[in-house]
Amino acid sequence: MEHITLLLTIVVVTALVFDFTNGFHDTANAMATTISTGAMKPKTAVAMSAVLNLVGAFLSVEVAKTISSGLVNEEGIQPEVIFAALVGAILWNLLTWLVGLPSSSSHALMGGLIGATIASVGLGGVNGGVVVTKVLIPAIAAPLVAGLAAMLASRLTYRLGRNADRKTTDKGYRAGQIASAGLVSLAHGTNDAQKTMGIITLALVAGGILVPGSNPPVWVIVSAGLAIALGTYLGGWRIIRTMGKGLTDLQPQQGFAAQTSAAAVILSSSNLGFSLSTTHSCSGAVMGAGLGRKGGVVRWSTATRMFVAWGLTLPAAGLVAALSEYVTRQGTWGVIAVAAFLIASCTAIWFISRRQVVDHTNVNETETEAEAPGVVTTAIAAVTPPPAGTLTDDLKTTIPAPAPTDPAAPAATATV
């Protein structure tokens, strides 16, 4: 019993560490567009997001129940399995943060849990139907739905404001961005903080502290909310830079459309109990908003690297978790060895990240080179009417102006 108590303590602490990494890894989901368009200052934006993430953690437990009692069979799952799952998820979060790729913390956690469970009890320990209906299908549908909604919303905002003063509309949309960013933060807390609640609850069930099917205790909800809020406040500046400037260049109208669309998708999925990736939803919305403006360019080279990371998340986290589970199964020395490996790896990643620091002072700077419009962008732009007052340098053309009244006057040109 002492071993189980000690191991459960290690699992709970590790779960909260994962929740912390989830916070700073996913700050970009809510605040990248708000920061990149100048609607809010970086530090103010992440502070607001942190508070709303904490509030969102108390709004629902549906996703937590999906994680704790739906994804894998509770019987036969030992605390060592949960610990190994968290190791795989944390390392994947930190690696993708290091290279600035907005991958899914949710899928890292679920991939780790699936891999560790298979290594422990075999394929029978995983509920395949739940994986397909509540993980894989939403993973594909979420970015498509959010992207389409954001693209249509962007077109609508430009159409509605085509005769309005540009400065007035920008100011209004920046205010709207602040409100929609707050909604995304609230949705993120409602969805992502619950995943850690579910993992801790599953560990408590595995250790015999709770009965199967139990809801997360209050102390679990509070600790998970605080951990994700703290991580959010520190800000995942590398990923904020990629999502705010690396995927596309957004104007306030597009930022508002992207965040509102993403929030609607995330909140809907939370109420249905789908363990949705907020990263997939927000990234899809940003790209959709980029395609919703005439002349908007999605940088597909960056998007392709992001898609590859999405595809690798489940298997990569699962493989690390399976190997970790094999070592932890050897006894106390195995648990200590895996814990030491996790600490050493996290420390090494941190020191590597210090070679090129990205923080609130340079988050809007980007080294991404200008990318020519691709096939998708060109096709959509061809059927999209240009929004009034939003011409960009890449769309400017020079045409002859009306002939001067004085025949001796030199010919002039007008830029439109």
Side-chain angles (χ1 to χ4, degrees), residues 3 7 79-81 83-85 87 115-116 119-120 318-342:
H3 172 69
L7 184 57
E80 289 91 339
V81 175
F83 176 58
V87 170
S120 176
L319 178 60
V320 173
L323 294 174
S324 299
E325 194 282 331
Y326 175 79
V327 178
T328 58
R329 196 191 313 161
Q330 310 307 314
T332 303
W333 73 265
V335 174
I336 295 174
V338 172
F341 169 73
L342 176 62

Side-chain angles (χ1 to χ4, degrees), residues 116-138:
T117 300
I118 292 175
S120 176
V121 299
L123 287 171
V126 179
N127 296 323
V130 174
V131 173
V132 173
T133 59
K134 291 198 172 185
V135 178
L136 296 182
I137 292 178

Side-chain angles (χ1 to χ4, degrees), residues 118-384:
I118 292 175
S120 176
V121 299
L123 287 171
V126 179
N127 296 323
V130 174
V131 173
V132 173
T133 59
K134 291 198 172 185
V135 178
L136 296 182
I137 292 178
I140 298 173
L144 295 178
V145 173
L148 179 61
M151 183 174 70
L152 296 177
S154 295
R155 293 187 184 183
L156 179 62
T157 58
Y158 281 120
R159 182 174 295 275
L160 292 176
R162 63 183 181 274
N163 296 321
D165 178 68
R166 173 68 179 275
K167 292 183 178 180
T168 302
T169 56
D170 281 359
K171 185 177 180 180
Y173 280 117
R174 285 193 176 97
Q177 272 193 279
I178 295 174
S180 60
L183 190 59
V184 173
S185 297
L186 193 69
H188 184 263
T190 304
N191 194 281
D192 278 44
Q194 289 186 53
K195 297 177 178 72
T196 300
M197 298 177 204
I199 281 292
I200 295 176
T201 302
L202 182 59
L204 295 175
V205 170
I209 306 299
L210 296 177
V211 297
S214 297
N215 285 337
V218 175
W219 70 266
V220 171
I221 297 174
V222 172
S223 59
L226 289 173
I228 200 169
L230 181 59
T232 301
Y233 178 70
L234 291 180
W237 302 112
R238 292 171 180 271
I239 300 176
I240 290 176
R241 171 187 281 186
T242 299
M243 194 175 290
K245 292 291 187 180
L247 282 175
T248 185
D249 294 317
L250 296 180
Q251 296 176 350
Q253 295 93 323
Q254 295 167 283
F256 174 73
Q259 289 173 316
T260 303
S261 302
V265 171
I266 296 167
L267 287 173
S268 299
S269 69
S270 294
N271 289 332
L272 295 173
F274 292 117
S275 187
L276 187 72
S277 167
T278 55
T279 301
H280 288 189
S281 301
C282 294
S283 299
V286 167
M287 289 187 286
L291 294 175
R293 172 172 61 89
K294 181 72 173 181
V297 176
V298 172
R299 298 182 179 92
W300 294 110
S301 57
T302 302
T304 300
R305 291 189 292 112
M306 184 178 68
F307 295 151
V308 171
W310 290 2
L312 291 176
T313 299
L314 283 170
L319 178 60
V320 173
L323 294 174
S324 299
E325 194 282 331
Y326 175 79
V327 178
T328 58
R329 196 191 313 161
Q330 310 307 314
T332 303
W333 73 265
V335 174
I336 295 174
V338 172
F341 169 73
L342 176 62
I343 294 172
S345 299
C346 293
T347 303
I349 291 172
W350 171 257
F351 277 113
I352 292 173
S353 72
R354 297 300 88 193
R355 296 176 180 175
Q356 185 177 4
V357 177
V358 179
D359 57 22
H360 66 281
T361 63
N362 62 358
V363 67
N364 279 334
E365 299 174 5
T366 178
E367 296 178 358
T368 304
E369 295 182 358
E371 183 171 319
V375 175
V376 177
T377 304
T378 303
I380 293 177
V383 297
T384 305

